[in-house]
Amino acid sequence: QVQLVESGGGLVQPGGSLRLSCAASGFALDGYSVGWFRQAPGKEREGVSCINTRVGLRRFADSVMGRFTISRDNAKNTVDLQMSRLQPEDTAVYYCAAVQYAEFSCPLVPDEYAYWGQGTQVTVSS
């Protein structure tokens, strides 16, 4: 059974950091493109970052460039999103997703992804 499970969300003060983890079961993430998305109340789901695990290419949304990093751990079969200098506007439910992507890149468009996790809440507030 293919499954993605996110963890690591929570409440953090502005300027703080959180590390989200996306764990896969039922398949190996190696060779997949894995994306992190977020959805705030009343807003559309938006791409935050993605990684093509086959070639190592990474992409970031302009809003998180320089603050977020994405990494993979083949041994643990996870892809992590390290978030720093968090701001209230980063508050959202964060989702990870995976797809076997033929291009040497990774998409930041939700419709391109086949498998999704259930999401983890990130709240940035003082």
Side-chain angles (χ1 to χ4, degrees):
Q1 180 181 359
V2 172
Q3 191 174 18
L4 295 173
V5 178
E6 303 93 337
S7 61
L11 173 64
V12 63
Q13 292 186 341
S17 300
L18 277 177
R19 188 177 184 90
L20 305 182
S21 186
C22 174
S25 60
F27 71 109
L29 286 174
D30 190 33
Y32 278 72
S33 284
V34 178
W36 280 97
F37 296 83
R38 65 187 181 186
Q39 188 165 19
K43 294 188 177 181
E44 293 187 353
R45 191 168 298 188
E46 64 171 348
V48 174
S49 180
C50 63
I51 181 170
N52 182 311
T53 64
R54 185 157 54 98
V55 298
L57 183 140
R58 294 162 170 84
R59 295 180 64 194
F60 299 90
D62 289 344
S63 59
V64 306
M65 187 78 70
R67 300 189 297 124
F68 291 11
T69 60
I70 189 169
S71 61
R72 59 173 173 161
D73 187 324
N74 287 341
K76 295 182 179 179
N77 206 25
T78 61
V79 169
D80 291 352
L81 184 71
Q82 177 68 48
M83 307 185 295
S84 303
R85 289 184 279 146
L86 285 162
Q87 299 301 318
E89 52 265 33
D90 295 314
T91 295
V93 177
Y94 283 70
Y95 300 88
C96 70
V99 65
Q100 285 184 303
Y101 198 62
E103 304 297 326
F104 289 104
S105 181
C106 56
L108 280 174
V109 179
D111 289 349
E112 294 285 342
Y113 285 82
Y115 306 112
W116 287 86
Q118 83 290 346
T120 185
Q121 177 70 46
V122 171
T123 302
V124 185
S125 176
S126 56

